[in-house]
Amino acid sequence: MYKRVFTDSRVVPAPAEEIFALLADPARHSEIDGSGTVQKVVSGSGPMQMGSKFKMAMKMYGFPYKTTSTVVEFEENRRIAWCHWGKNRWRYELEPVAGGTRVTESADFTTSPAINRFMAAVAYTPESFATNIAATLDNLVSRFSSEGNQL
């Protein structure tokens, strides 16, 4: 059976408000994307809120495409998630901790129909989800470390 939720977390050396501002602006997603698929925003801008829609130019396996996502979970400075036609959710949860903010990223397929979970299993290996999420979180840590943010 294909795993339904892929998740990882890092402590990012910045306040939750600053991290959330980046996550809630689709024009900035390519700055931190660890998968190499996010190219640029086509429409929609931050800050996003519940129900916001945005369209992204993407590229996977050398093939460009566009996808529209809708924000389906939103708690300012704590949690944001969006989904596209496949109904899987890309979620970020933020928790203030000593030294910054624990950011947990999840690719959640529990809300996806079985056919979409199958398509994800064909397109990605579980290891690629783990690698891509880890790279995105590492990019967040680097981004805020290099900005010299101190709590």
Side-chain angles (χ1 to χ4, degrees):
M1 175 182 238
Y2 194 68
K3 188 174 175 180
R4 291 184 179 207
V5 180
F6 302 87
T7 189
D8 198 356
S9 63
R10 300 280 186 284
V11 174
V12 178
E17 296 78 12
E18 290 180 26
I19 300 164
F20 194 85
L22 186 152
L23 297 172
D25 185 353
R28 299 187 67 196
H29 289 179
S30 63
E31 296 176 21
I32 60 163
D33 172 48
S35 71
T37 59
V38 178
Q39 303 299 297
K40 65 180 181 177
V41 69
V42 174
S43 65
S45 62
M48 293 187 288
Q49 54 192 309
M50 189 67 163
S52 293
K53 293 186 183 299
F54 60 99
K55 185 180 223 175
M56 301 298 289
M58 310 286 286
K59 191 178 220 177
M60 185 168 31
Y61 303 121
F63 296 101
Y65 65 99
K66 293 181 177 130
T67 189
T68 300
S69 294
T70 303
V71 175
V72 294
E73 296 177 24
F74 186 89
E75 183 182 347
E76 182 119 18
N77 300 322
R78 294 293 178 259
R79 180 175 37 92
I80 190 165
W82 52 85
C83 68
H84 56 55
W85 63 270
K87 302 300 181 202
N88 56 299
R89 294 180 182 209
W90 297 99
R91 179 182 301 113
Y92 291 89
E93 297 170 285
L94 289 73
E95 174 191 5
V97 296
T101 303
R102 178 175 306 285
V103 178
T104 302
E105 180 182 358
S106 302
D108 183 348
F109 288 85
T110 60
T111 55
S112 299
I115 187 66
N116 295 357
R117 289 192 305 272
F118 172 77
M119 289 169 49
V122 169
Y124 294 100
T125 65
E127 295 79 19
S128 67
F129 275 112
T131 299
N132 294 343
I133 288 172
T136 297
L137 292 169
D138 290 345
N139 289 344
L140 263 177
V141 170
S142 294
R143 171 112 186 136
F144 284 96
S145 295
S146 67
E147 291 179 3
N149 292 322
Q150 301 296 318
L151 297 178

